[in-house]
Structure formats: structure tokens, C-alpha cells
Amino acid sequence: MKNKSLSFGIRRYALINSGDYRYGIFPMDAALSVCGNNNMGKSQAINSLQFLLFKSTNEMNFGKYDAAKSREFYFKTDSSYIVAELITNEGVFLFGAYGKGPGYGYEYQLFVAKTGFQDEFFIDNGRVLTYEEAMARLEQTTRVHKINRDEARQVLSGEYIKTPVKHDLSLVPLRNAGEKRYSIFKRIYKNLITLNDMRERDIKRLILDVFSDTLTDTKKFNYLEEVSLAFREHDLLKDEIVTLKSLEKNLERYSDRLSYYRTTRDELEEARATIAQTAMAFRERAEGEAELIRNEIQAAKNDLELVDSRNKDRRQARDELMVALRRLQDEQDEYENADREFALTSEEAITGEIEDYQRRLAELNEALKGASHNTPDQIRTDLLRQEKLREQRNKALAALTSSQRIMDKIGLAPEVLEEASRVINPEILSLDIDTVEGDANQLKRWIEERQGEFSDGRLSAKGFSVPLSGVSGINLGETEEDLKRDINRIDLSLIKLKKELDAAENKAKSEREIKRLNEEIYSANKDLINFRRYCDLKKGLDQRTTEIAEAEAKLDEVNKIMNGLVDELRQLESRQTQAQQKMIKHNDDQQAIKTFMAHEIMTTKTLRDLDGSYVDMNLDIAAAVGHATSVYATFCNILNDLNSADREILQVYSKHASLETLEERIEQVIDDHSALPEKQEMLIRLNQIAITKISSRLKDIYDNWLRLESAMSELNRSINKKKVSNLQQFKIELRPYQKQIDAIYHLIESSASNDDQMTGDLLRSAAREEDMNVVVANDANRTLGAFVDDKGGDLQLEDLFELSFVLVDVNGKKNEASDLDEMASNGSTMTIKVLINIYLIRHLMDAKLFESRYLPFYVDEAGAIDSTNQESLINVCRELGFIPVFASVQASEVTRYIIDIQHARTSDGIMFTTQDWITNDPLEDDDEQQDFFGEGDES
């Protein structure tokens, strides 16, 4: 095959001490095949190109490897280099990056120099130079420009804003170059060099970004918010109409009540003025009458005081007589009661009875002095215990007299027994008393065997000696005399306990009798005191009877005198009462006027103050007030009805809430209801205006849709101009959501129709909502509203369609899918991905400048593409400005260059030079060869 030579682009690409490469230089002026087993470093070269083309490691893709770790991998020392030799219309340039080492966090620095690639710039006798040394060598040949990544982007894309490099290095000359366009390029180029899975959603977003220069503003807008804003006046008016219709059945009643309210108010206002002005006149006249009544009351009061002063002494004498008479009568009553009780007794009898009680009480107290403090039950328990003890001692006495004592049986000397009694004490040895008193012969043998161990008051044995002088001997038996003495003592105790038991049993009975005797003594003493009082009363009986008779006679005389003044007092009191009643009536009248003047009728702001004279001196104030009060009650009921109606209206219709009076508010609502036909006409107009506002936003989206359809048609035509051997046709189709696009179209058309209608005759009655134009527009609006509801209300161009990939093979079989990786063989899919990305990149480029530029890209697992398709792909790429780098286990037969990575591996890493290139199709003439390898001018 014949390969077209490179015009402008990357001619050679080198990795020096970078990644797995010790030294590797790649040809990039024509199709290249890099072969070798997997994981041998084939993809490292093309992946490293991202460090030159991309700004941030966050934008790079190294497959399963972390970007930061990959940077450390490629720039592991300060002598790591990635260098591209560029051919431009201004000559040959080096564009590369050198590592700054671990001290700088494995960062790298970009640089540009106007010269071709030479080994000695970076290597000296097999040693890779540090970047300080390499840059110094380059500076000896040409000027080296260190640039940052923003400047690199500007240089490569042809933006040239603020860069130190003044040469044309536009490897990717973008149309309308800038950060946004370069960002789109990076996304596509990253897809191209990695050929990752391309999902429908990602491709759709990418296509919209690529064609953004031909589309108007593609940013999303919130359709629901736009509709809400556009229909705001319409919805407010619609709510007003609905509310007025809902009030319709009550408005006639409100109108009647309002009319009745006005009539009643006028009547009440006039009555109020008449009563108020007449009452003021009455009040002025009543001042003189009040003074006369007060004088009359005072005269009656003076006469009463005069009569009362004459009667005062008589009242005092009468009160004193009544007190004395009452005292005498009380003493007489006391005497008569005592006489009935004590007439048949004497003081000596009562005294004798007391003395008898006291004697018996003394006897009982004396008897209780020797009584035990124990209870009968406690004494019985002690008695039983002593009886058991006596029985035990009697048994011991019987046993003693029937046998000899144990010590008599032993037959040892007394001094020996005395020493032995200390030793066999349980405090010294663990012998219990039963063993000691059991067998006399055995005890005797035990004492004789150990007699040598205790003598002279000590117990001696192996290794110790214990004094026994402080140990008492045990009693080896009681005497008969001891037992009899104990029994005698127990008998005396039993006699004493029996006496105590008798005394204890009588004690409770005696205590009850003592309590009764004390009560009898108290009662008898009380009788003695009362008897002596009776005797005193009896002595004064005759005198008391005389005093009672005299007091009653004097009281009758005083009462006769005082009764004679009763009629005179009644006349004076009646005169005073009549005068007071006049004053009360006068005060009541004045209070009635005052109360009325403070009544709501007078203070309410609902009623007006009338001008003019309304005085009527013949007016019945009470009747007038009653009538006015009745009218006011009716007025208040009507007013309450209207207030209730006003509240009901304000709850649903607050348009006129700012008006001051409810009369104005209700009247305005009634007027609004009468204007319903005009409001309904206006509602149609507002609906049309709102649709027009929405349509102006939707028209941008619809126009973009039409432009996108045209752009995609052109893209598909371009793709299908280049034939791949096993494919007849491939295209990316837009699958629109037709219902939503039709809705947008109908809204736009409706808007245009509305404009024509309004322009034609603004005064003509608008079409009714039943008109087809309005119905269709409203249906379309509801369709779009429901569509964006689950998207938060947002609407944008990409929401209106899906992508579908259509493939027709050489046999005419059509395959359609939404996932590019599922629709064909791996080789065909890879070929299609390459074509899509290439054409998208070409659309970003300045067509005139990019015609002569070539970009390399990477095709991994290229063995999946048959040689025929490989050759077709190389030709297509060459025509479109791209250089494929095929990576596979086996070398490709159709590329110009082959590099065998497998055999380039050494213990120091991958190493190959231009001498190691395998050329399938060398260029035919020297002139063409010069285009590839001729050096540019240096500066």
C-alpha cells in the first residue's frame, strides 16, 4: 500500500526514563503497529500523550490506574521525559515535559524549543541527563520556553492569548478556540485514545457540545417556572372568576341586606340625633329640680334627728332594764334546774361518798405496789422452766445415791487427781466430759501413763512446757449436799413465782377498778360544787323574785312612753322616704341619659353625626330610647350578617381587602360580579399572551432541534462517505419524543396565530376557550408540564430525543441499538467508535488549518479488526487528519511502521531507537523523506 506523507503534526514521540521505558522513540508520521504480549507497555506511549495535551490529571484516563499514581509512574525522577517532535508551517519544534522528581511531588514542567529531536539533548554516554542539564544543552542550541498548562492549551489550540511562545504550534486548531471548546476536544480525544464504552447518554451530551456553535443557547430552563410566570396574570384572573362564580348564589342576598342596612342606618341616625339633643335639654332643666329634692330630704332628716335625740335616753334605760331582767331570769332558771337535782340530798352525803371512793382507791393502789412488772404469760414461762430444772436435779440426786462417784473408783492420791483435773480440762486437751466420766479404769490408765508429763504445776512434752497454775481443774462429780441445796433453792423460787402469778392476774382487774373510782370521785366533786352553788341561789330566792317584779314594772312603763312616739317617727320616716325616692328617680333619669349617651348607638363609628336641631321637649325619653335600642338591635343584626358575609368573601376573594369599610368592599364585589363577561373575555386574551411568552422560549429549543437534525444528517453523510469493508451503512439517528416536540410546535404555531389575531383587531372580541386554537395550545402546555414534572420542571434540548445507532452490513441486514457496544462485532464496533470520534473532532476544528494537520490515536486489541478493515481505517484516518497506532499481540501487516515491544524489553526497561523500526512501505523519493525528517529553522 502507499501511505500519504505527514504535512503538520507529531513526527516522532519519545519516552525517556519514563514508565517502563528506558528509551523509546516512536514514528508518528504514518500508521504504526506496536506488537507484543499483554502488559508489556504497548499503551504507555499513547496514554502519556495526555500529559502534553490535557491540563489536569483529573481530565486524564489511565484505565484502572489512579491519575496521581500514573504521574508518579511516568515522572519518577528528575531525568524523566516525554517529548514530541512537531512539524508546523514554521518548522520543527520540540514540545515536551520533564519530571521534577519526588522532591516536587512528582510534578512535571512543559517546555517548547524550536529544534528537532536529538539524542544528545537528553543522553550523555548512556546516562540520562537531569532536566537542569538537558535544558542547559537545549539552551545552547535554541531558546527554551517553559510554559504552564493553560499556555500549552492556548498554543496547541491556536488561541495565542498570553503565551511566551510566538510560533504557530496549533496541533489542534480549534474553531472559536477557548477553554470550553478545548474541554470538548479533550473529552472526545480521551474517548479516541482509550475507546471506552460509549453510552447513548454520553454520546448525546457530546454531540450537543460539539454542535453548540451552530445551536443557540442550549442551557436548560425551568419550564414550569416559566409557565407559572407567563400565566400569572391569567391564573389570578381565572381564580377571581371562579371565586366570583362561587359567590354568585349569595351575592343577591348580600345586595338585599346591604340595602336594608342603609335604610335602617338612616332611621337610627335620625333617632339618635333627636334623643341626644332632647336629653341634653332635659338634663339642663333637671339641675334645679335636683336642688329642691335635696333640700326636702335634709329637712326630713333634721326632724328625725330631733325626735331621735329625745328618745335616746329612754332607749338606753330600756336596754339597761332588759339586761338586768335577763340576768335575774337566768339565775332563777339556774336555781329551778338545781332544785330538781339536789332537793333530796345533802353536802354530808356527797362528801361521804367521795371519802368512801378515796379509801377504796388507796387500798387498791397499796395492793398494786408489790405486784410484779411481768405479765402472767411471762411468769408462767418462768414457772415451767423452774419445774423442769427441779425435775432434772431430783434425777441427778437419785443417780448419785445409787452409785459411787467416779473418783472413788479411780483410787488415786488427791494431789494427783488435782493435777490431772487441770490437764484433762477441754481448754488444754480435746477430751470431752463424757470421755472423762465414762470408764474409770480407762481414765485411771490414761492419768498413770502421763503422770510424768504433769507435775509441779506444768505440762511438759516433746519440745514444749506449759504452766498449769492459771488453769482451773474440771469438776469430776457433784456431792449430794450440792444437789439438795439446789433443789431447795428451786422450791423457794417456785413458791415466789406462784404468788407473782396470782398478783399479776389480779393487777389488770385492779387497774380497771382504779380507773372507775377516779371517774366516780371526779363526778362526785363536780356534784359538790354544783350543790354549794344551789345553796347560794336558794338563799337569795326571795330577794331575786322581788327584783324581777320591779324590773318588769319599770320596763312596761318605759315601753308605753316609747310607743307613744311611733306614729310621729313613722310620719317623719315616710316624708324622708318620699324625698329620697324622688332623688332616686331623678338620678335614674340622669343615669339613663348618661348611659344612653355612652351606648354603642352614640359611640359607634358606623353611624354618622347629623347636623341641625332635633330637640323635642314633648319627647318620651324612655319610649324613644326603647325604640332606638330596638332599631339598633336590628341594625346590629344586619351589620353582623354583613360582617359575616365580608369575612366569607375575604376568605376567598381578598382583592378589595384594602378598602376601608365593609360597605365599600361588598359593593365592589357585587360590581365585580356584574363585570364577569368582560373578565372572561380578558381571560382569553391573557391565555393567548401567556402562550406567546412561553413560545418565545420554546422556539429556541425547536429551532435548535431543527439545526441538530440538519447537523446530524451531515455527520451521517460524512461518516458513510468512508466505507468500511464489512459495513454497507452506519448512522446515528435522532429518535425524538414526538409527542413533546409536537406540543412545542403547536404552542409556537398557536402563538403565531394569536399574534395575527391580536394585530388584526384588538377591539374585536377574542375567541372563546372552546376555539380549537386555544384547546390545542392548552393541551400542548399540559403535555409539556407533565413531561417535565419529574425533572424538577427543567426542559432542555437533550430531553427531547434519544440516540439510536443503525448499522447495515454488506448483506443488507439492519441492526439497531441504543448501546454502541452491543450492536456489532468487537472489530466493527471499534471501527465505528473511531469514525464517530474523528468526525466529532473534525467538526471542532478550523477546517482550513486542520486539513494539513494529523493527530495520533490509539487502537488497543487491534487484532480484533481484520486487515482489510485496518487498511480501510488507515486510509480514512489519513484523509481526515489522524494517525492510528495499532496495539496487538501480532504485528499488523498494513501499517507503515512496526515496533516489537516484546523484543525491546531489557533488564533496564524497554529500549529501542529508530534503528529498531520495521518499515513495511518506505517512502519512494528523497524529497518526501525530507518532509518527514528535515530540520526546521532554529531561533
Side-chain angles (χ1 to χ4, degrees):
M1 62 167 285
K2 175 74 173 175
N3 283 291
K4 180 180 177 182
S5 63
L6 178 71
S7 296
F8 301 123
I10 299 176
R11 180 168 66 179
R12 286 183 290 186
Y13 187 72
L15 293 178
I16 304 171
N17 201 21
S18 176
D20 288 335
Y21 286 79
R22 178 65 175 169
Y23 181 92
I25 183 165
F26 295 86
M28 290 291 181
D29 59 326
L32 169 65
S33 171
V34 181
C35 61
N37 291 333
N38 291 332
N39 297 319
M40 294 296 293
K42 298 189 296 295
S43 62
Q44 288 182 27
I46 203 70
N47 279 340
S48 66
L49 189 58
Q50 295 178 87
F51 289 108
L52 302 184
L53 300 182
F54 295 171
K55 176 179 176 181
S56 168
T57 54
N58 294 331
E59 302 168 340
M60 302 176 190
N61 186 342
F62 296 98
K64 63 182 179 180
Y65 300 106
D66 175 74
K69 291 293 184 182
S70 296
R71 184 183 65 195
E72 179 181 345
F73 175 70
Y74 282 103
F75 298 104
K76 51 195 172 187
T77 70
D78 59 357
S79 58
S80 298
Y81 302 91
I82 298 173
V83 184
E85 183 184 68
L86 306 181
I87 300 178
T88 74
N89 57 0
E90 294 187 24
V92 179
F93 290 82
L94 290 184
F95 176 47
Y98 59 78
K100 300 173 75 173
Y104 289 88
Y106 302 100
E107 272 294 348
Y108 60 93
Q109 173 65 53
L110 299 175
F111 66 91
V112 174
K114 192 174 186 298
T115 183
F117 182 85
Q118 297 180 29
D119 291 348
E120 56 267 23
F121 289 152
F122 305 101
I123 298 176
D124 184 14
N125 294 323
R127 181 179 68 88
V128 180
L129 301 176
T130 65
Y131 70 84
E132 291 94 342
E133 296 170 327
M135 294 304 105
R137 286 197 176 188
L138 273 172
E139 284 285 358
Q140 294 174 5
T141 303
T142 184
R143 184 178 178 185
V144 178
H145 300 282
K146 295 179 182 179
I147 60 175
N148 61 38
R149 295 166 200 179
D150 275 327
E151 293 169 343
R153 187 236 333 145
Q154 296 171 22
V155 167
L156 294 174
S157 65
E159 191 173 356
Y160 308 119
I161 297 176
K162 296 178 181 179
T163 68
V165 181
K166 304 305 179 185
H167 301 288
D168 181 9
L169 301 182
S170 52
L171 185 63
V172 284
L174 299 175
R175 185 171 63 253
N176 302 321
E179 177 65 36
K180 180 180 178 181
R181 299 289 285 178
Y182 197 74
S183 176
I184 299 171
F185 159 74
K186 287 186 290 187
R187 285 162 52 201
I188 304 173
Y189 190 67
K190 187 162 57 176
N191 287 338
L192 185 60
I193 64 176
T194 59
L195 291 183
N196 288 332
D197 292 345
M198 298 176 66
R199 303 296 178 187
E200 181 268 344
R201 179 180 177 181
D202 299 330
I203 297 176
K204 180 166 66 171
R205 186 66 261 170
L206 204 56
I207 286 173
L208 288 173
D209 288 341
V210 168
F211 292 119
S212 61
D213 58 333
T214 62
L215 306 176
T216 57
D217 184 14
T218 58
K219 294 180 180 178
K220 65 183 177 183
F221 74 99
N222 194 292
Y223 180 76
L224 294 181
E225 289 180 0
E226 291 287 338
V227 169
S228 176
L229 186 62
F231 276 88
R232 186 171 182 272
E233 290 186 37
H234 170 274
D235 292 342
L236 289 174
L237 183 57
K238 183 178 180 181
D239 291 342
E240 180 180 340
I241 291 171
V242 170
T243 303
L244 288 171
K245 286 182 177 180
S246 70
L247 295 171
E248 199 167 38
K249 60 182 180 181
N250 292 324
L251 285 179
E252 185 176 352
R253 178 169 62 84
Y254 295 160
S255 179
D256 292 341
R257 299 302 285 172
L258 185 60
S259 177
Y260 189 23
Y261 164 78
R262 288 168 174 166
T263 302
T264 307
R265 182 188 61 192
D266 294 342
E267 180 182 354
L268 185 59
E269 286 168 349
E270 184 175 350
R272 182 176 74 161
T274 301
I275 294 171
Q277 295 180 21
T278 301
M280 290 297 294
F282 281 0
R283 184 159 58 183
E284 292 173 2
R285 188 178 68 180
E287 289 297 326
E289 293 179 354
E291 185 63 27
L292 292 175
I293 295 171
R294 283 193 290 271
N295 291 336
E296 186 177 348
I297 291 172
Q298 186 62 42
K301 181 180 179 182
N302 292 337
D303 291 343
L304 276 172
E305 288 177 352
L306 180 61
V307 174
D308 188 64
S309 65
R310 295 200 307 267
N311 204 30
K312 182 177 181 180
D313 294 338
R314 296 185 180 90
R315 280 199 304 271
Q316 183 177 356
R318 184 190 62 181
D319 292 341
E320 290 175 354
L321 284 171
M322 291 179 68
V323 170
L325 181 60
R326 189 177 301 113
R327 178 181 57 79
L328 292 170
Q329 288 174 341
D330 289 342
E331 288 180 355
Q332 186 64 21
D333 291 341
E334 183 182 359
Y335 165 74
E336 290 174 355
N337 291 331
D339 186 61
R340 285 193 292 271
E341 183 176 358
F342 299 111
L344 300 180
T345 188
S346 66
E347 183 172 349
E348 290 77 9
I350 297 173
T351 303
E353 186 179 35
I354 292 173
E355 290 174 350
D356 183 51
Y357 289 149
Q358 289 175 339
R359 178 182 53 76
R360 290 166 58 190
L361 182 62
E363 290 174 355
L364 288 173
N365 285 330
E366 183 65 26
L368 288 176
K369 285 181 180 179
S372 172
H373 294 291
N374 293 331
T375 64
D377 290 339
Q378 291 173 334
I379 296 171
R380 289 189 192 96
T381 301
D382 292 342
L383 189 61
L384 181 62
R385 187 182 301 112
Q386 290 296 321
E387 287 175 346
K388 288 183 178 179
L389 182 60
R390 185 179 187 281
E391 182 181 353
Q392 291 174 356
R393 304 316 285 168
N394 281 330
K395 289 180 180 180
L397 181 59
L400 180 63
T401 55
S402 64
S403 63
Q404 295 181 351
R405 288 172 51 85
I406 187 169
M407 295 308 290
D408 293 339
K409 294 180 182 180
I410 293 176
L412 293 175
E415 61 273 12
V416 175
L417 287 176
E418 183 180 358
E419 294 287 347
S421 69
R422 291 190 179 94
V423 174
I424 64 176
N425 191 321
E427 294 180 1
I428 303 301
L429 299 177
S430 58
L431 294 175
D432 58 58
I433 194 66
D434 292 335
T435 302
V436 173
E437 295 181 354
D439 188 339
N441 293 327
Q442 181 180 352
L443 180 60
K444 180 179 180 181
R445 285 193 302 271
W446 188 87
I447 292 173
E448 290 176 340
E449 290 174 358
R450 291 166 175 76
Q451 186 174 355
E453 296 178 2
F454 49 86
S455 63
D456 299 328
R458 301 188 68 84
L459 172 64
S460 300
K462 294 180 180 180
F464 70 90
S465 176
V466 179
L468 299 176
S469 57
V471 180
S472 60
I474 66 170
N475 188 2
L476 296 176
E478 293 179 302
T479 65
E480 181 178 354
E481 183 181 352
D482 292 336
L483 290 174
K484 288 180 178 180
R485 188 166 45 252
D486 285 347
I487 292 170
N488 185 50
R489 180 179 52 77
I490 292 170
D491 287 341
L492 293 175
S493 179
L494 286 172
I495 293 170
K496 183 180 178 182
L497 287 171
K498 287 177 181 179
K499 289 180 179 180
E500 289 180 358
L501 179 59
D502 292 338
E505 289 176 343
N506 291 326
K507 181 181 177 182
K509 186 186 297 182
S510 298
E511 287 175 344
R512 289 193 296 272
E513 181 64 15
I514 288 171
K515 181 180 179 183
R516 187 188 70 79
L517 288 174
N518 282 324
E519 291 173 352
E520 291 291 346
I521 291 170
Y522 174 79
S523 178
N525 283 323
K526 187 177 179 182
D527 288 344
L528 181 60
I529 293 170
N530 291 334
F531 179 79
R532 288 172 178 170
R533 170 67 176 166
Y534 164 70
C535 292
D536 292 340
L537 291 173
K538 187 174 182 180
K539 290 176 182 178
L541 177 62
D542 294 338
Q543 183 181 352
R544 190 168 53 253
T545 303
T546 302
E547 290 177 355
I548 289 173
E550 291 175 353
E552 287 177 345
K554 289 181 180 179
L555 185 61
D556 288 341
E557 184 180 355
V558 172
N559 284 334
K560 287 179 182 179
I561 295 171
M562 292 184 67
N563 288 338
L565 297 175
V566 169
D567 292 339
E568 183 179 359
L569 287 171
R570 284 177 180 171
Q571 290 175 3
L572 290 174
E573 288 174 350
S574 175
R575 197 178 89 191
Q576 185 183 39
T577 300
Q578 290 174 2
Q580 288 173 341
Q581 287 175 348
K582 285 182 183 179
M583 181 57 71
I584 290 171
K585 184 177 183 304
H586 173 80
N587 290 335
D588 288 345
D589 289 342
Q590 293 303 310
Q591 185 61 40
I593 292 173
K594 183 179 179 180
T595 301
F596 180 77
M597 297 302 288
H599 193 274
E600 290 181 21
I601 300 175
M602 300 302 297
T603 59
T604 180
K605 295 182 180 179
T606 310
L607 302 175
R608 299 167 296 174
D609 291 327
L610 301 180
D611 296 331
S613 176
Y614 290 86
V615 178
D616 182 3
M617 296 306 292
N618 297 319
L619 182 68
D620 184 343
I621 291 288
V625 169
H627 175 69
T629 304
S630 175
V631 173
Y632 182 70
T634 302
F635 172 79
C636 287
N637 288 334
I638 300 170
L639 186 60
N640 287 336
D641 286 349
L642 289 179
N643 277 322
S644 178
D646 187 42
R647 287 193 297 271
E648 290 176 6
I649 292 171
L650 289 176
Q651 285 179 354
V652 296
Y653 191 73
S654 59
K655 180 178 179 181
H656 304 300
S658 61
L659 294 178
E660 186 174 354
T661 67
L662 67 86
E663 184 179 357
E664 293 175 308
R665 293 193 292 271
I666 294 176
E667 187 173 34
Q668 191 60 55
V669 172
I670 294 170
D671 292 344
D672 286 351
H673 181 266
S674 64
L676 269 178
E678 291 82 358
K679 290 180 182 294
Q680 289 172 327
E681 293 288 343
M682 179 56 67
L683 186 66
I684 304 299
R685 286 288 187 186
L686 291 176
N687 186 80
Q688 295 168 340
I689 292 170
I691 290 173
T692 301
K693 289 179 180 178
I694 297 169
S695 300
S696 64
R697 292 298 305 268
L698 293 176
K699 192 173 187 308
D700 291 339
I701 292 181
Y702 190 76
D703 290 345
N704 280 338
W705 166 251
L706 297 178
R707 294 187 189 99
L708 183 61
E709 279 188 319
S710 175
M712 289 302 296
S713 296
E714 179 62 31
L715 177 64
N716 284 323
R717 283 195 296 271
S718 298
I719 292 174
N720 284 289
K721 285 179 182 178
K722 312 300 179 183
K723 297 298 181 183
V724 181
S725 63
N726 63 340
L727 298 179
Q728 187 181 119
Q729 185 185 39
F730 170 78
K731 60 181 178 178
I732 305 172
E733 289 190 348
L734 302 178
R735 296 295 188 192
Y737 295 143
Q738 199 60 49
K739 183 178 179 181
Q740 283 70 36
I741 290 180
D742 289 344
I744 293 174
Y745 173 78
H746 289 316
L747 283 169
I748 295 171
E749 286 297 303
S750 175
S751 173
S753 175
N754 291 340
D755 290 343
D756 293 342
Q757 185 183 39
M758 292 184 194
T759 303
D761 185 6
L762 286 175
L763 299 177
R764 179 167 53 85
S765 176
R768 293 290 180 262
E769 285 200 57
E770 292 78 14
D771 288 354
M772 186 57 65
N773 187 42
V774 176
V775 171
V776 170
N778 288 335
D779 286 345
N781 183 30
R782 282 190 290 272
T783 296
L784 285 180
F787 177 67
V788 302
D789 190 50
D790 61 347
K791 306 177 188 298
D794 292 334
L795 179 65
Q796 53 186 338
L797 179 59
E798 67 179 83
D799 296 330
L800 298 175
F801 67 93
E802 292 179 348
L803 290 182
S804 178
F805 304 102
V806 180
L807 185 148
V808 180
D809 63 19
V810 291
N811 299 318
K813 182 180 178 181
K814 184 177 180 181
N815 185 14
E816 184 174 354
S818 60
D819 188 345
L820 193 59
D821 292 286
E822 296 177 357
M823 65 181 307
S825 65
N826 187 40
S828 297
T829 300
M830 291 169 65
T831 304
I832 292 168
K833 286 182 180 180
V834 169
L835 292 177
I836 291 174
N837 285 302
I838 284 175
Y839 275 104
L840 290 178
I841 288 176
R842 279 190 64 85
H843 186 83
L844 293 173
M845 300 299 174
D846 185 316
K848 293 181 180 179
L849 295 177
F850 193 70
E851 283 297 328
S852 57
R853 283 163 173 76
Y854 293 88
L855 275 175
F857 69 93
Y858 182 70
V859 181
D860 198 10
E861 304 295 341
I865 307 175
D866 61 50
S867 59
T868 303
N869 275 342
Q870 285 186 8
E871 187 170 7
S872 298
L873 185 60
I874 291 171
N875 291 331
V876 169
C877 291
R878 192 68 182 185
E879 291 178 19
L880 298 177
F882 293 87
I883 302 295
V885 177
F886 292 140
S888 57
V889 176
Q890 302 296 326
S892 172
E893 300 176 355
V894 296
T895 59
R896 174 183 291 182
Y897 300 108
I898 298 172
I899 294 177
D900 187 351
I901 294 292
Q902 188 82 27
H903 293 90
R905 268 199 172 270
T906 69
S907 58
D908 292 332
I910 301 172
M911 294 187 62
F912 59 86
T913 66
T914 56
Q915 305 297 323
D916 299 306
W917 297 352
I918 301 173
T919 304
N920 279 336
D921 184 20
L923 295 177
E924 291 184 349
D925 54 68
D926 293 336
D927 292 338
E928 196 166 24
Q929 187 74 17
Q930 180 63 32
D931 287 341
F932 279 106
F933 298 107
E935 299 297 334
D937 297 333
E938 297 178 2
S939 60

